Amino acid sequence: MLKVSVAGLRAALAKTKELALDLQPEELELDSSELAVQGSIRCDGRIVNVGGQLLLEAKLRAKVKRTCARCLCDFVVESSCRVQEHYYPAAVAPRGESVLTYDSDVLDLTGPLREALLLAEPLRALCKEDCKGLCPNCGTDLNVTACDCSRQSIDPRLAALAAFTDR
Ligand SMILES: [Zn+2]
Ligand SMILES: [Zn+2]
């Protein structure tokens, strides 16, 4: 869990707390099966008193290991994303809506930061835009080497299926 003290922030409009944090994935309750973070997660931003509500604005950066959907290799990229969320004082939060709230002088940043990192992941990662993938016939990584399968030897139905699933 990542909790940040906002003591003193509520006293005056526009009062700001700067954030410059190096976070471990565990602090955002991320385990490696959800998101394979390599090292720490950098969080730069601020929390501002915008009159009753507190506004969280931050940029997150992390090295993340992804698996290519075409050739199945693992590769590491720098993922970055932005977060912008309002926190309402618990006592006056709109009822029946899923809004972020705070009580006393502590903000829990875990949820918004975690969500932002997970949403930044593509549904279908590619190691490079023009990854050639694996031969549907013999499994050779066509980025590395050509294989001996002639096009004619691939069952046309399988080739059509491969083209379809590759989309
Ligand atoms: Zn690939
Ligand atoms: Zn082949």
Side-chain angles (χ1 to χ4, degrees):
M1 249 203 227
L2 176 64
K3 293 194 166 183
V4 171
S5 166
V6 288
L9 216 57
R10 291 197 283 173
L13 192 63
K15 237 178 158 29
T16 299
K17 180 191 178 86
E18 300 291 334
L19 298 174
L21 306 166
D22 285 308
L23 306 168
Q24 294 309 307
E26 305 81 66
E27 292 179 83
L28 298 182
E29 293 168 15
L30 286 165
D31 77 63
S32 55
S33 65
E34 295 175 290
L35 190 67
V37 176
Q38 314 286 295
S40 59
I41 300 159
R42 180 69 188 177
C43 172
D44 290 293
R46 59 209 183 118
I47 300 166
V48 191
N49 180 339
V50 290
Q53 300 164 28
L54 297 178
L55 172 64
L56 163 69
E57 288 180 314
K59 185 177 180 191
L60 297 173
R61 278 180 297 141
K63 287 198 164 56
V64 172
K65 188 164 82 181
R66 294 176 183 162
T67 301
C68 178
R70 279 186 200 155
C71 72
L72 308 180
C73 72
D74 287 336
F75 60 102
V76 174
V77 290
E78 182 166 284
S79 170
S80 69
C81 56
R82 291 183 177 279
V83 187
Q84 190 177 58
E85 292 287 353
H86 287 267
Y87 285 77
Y88 293 79
V92 302
R95 298 249 171 255
E97 288 177 46
S98 60
V99 294
L100 295 164
T101 60
Y102 68 96
D103 214 345
S104 71
D105 284 331
V106 175
L107 282 200
D108 184 350
L109 305 186
T110 318
L113 298 189
R114 184 189 138 80
E115 294 291 302
L117 279 169
L118 289 173
L119 286 173
E121 288 305 287
L123 287 175
R124 195 167 173 284
L126 292 179
C127 64
K128 52 180 185 270
E129 208 50 55
D130 61 348
C131 172
K132 297 192 186 78
L134 305 179
C135 169
N137 195 43
C138 70
T140 294
D141 184 344
L142 300 173
N143 296 305
V144 179
T145 177
C147 60
D148 291 331
C149 305
S150 65
R151 291 184 187 282
Q152 299 91 303
S153 73
I154 300 171
D155 185 320
R157 285 166 301 171
L158 282 180
L161 182 66
F164 178 76
T165 54
D166 197 39
R167 215 155 278 160

